[in-house]
Amino acid sequence: MWTCERCGAAVEPGDPARLAWSVEREPDGRESALCPACAREHVRDIEARLPREWW
Ligand SMILES: [Zn+2]
């Protein structure tokens, strides 16, 4: 199951709604998930905060 990092919304494995979620794998292997609504709101933040390996 993924849980949205911002609003706490959850989606079950196999739910077609997962296709709209934004999930990134962190360097430590953790998955960071955002529901579609939060991903849309924060797409600019996400793009601005580049992964550290890009620095
Ligand atoms: Zn959310």
Side-chain angles (χ1 to χ4, degrees), residues 4-47:
C4 176
E5 295 220 318
R6 296 201 65 246
C7 72
V11 66
E12 297 292 337
D15 187 330
R18 282 172 70 111
L19 294 174
W21 280 53
S22 168
V23 179
E24 293 183 15
R25 185 170 289 275
E26 306 286 354
D28 63 5
R30 194 172 62 91
E31 280 182 336
S32 151
L34 285 176
C35 73
C38 293
R40 255 197 314 276
E41 275 183 34
H42 279 265
V43 65
R44 266 182 283 167
D45 290 350
I46 292 167
E47 286 173 356

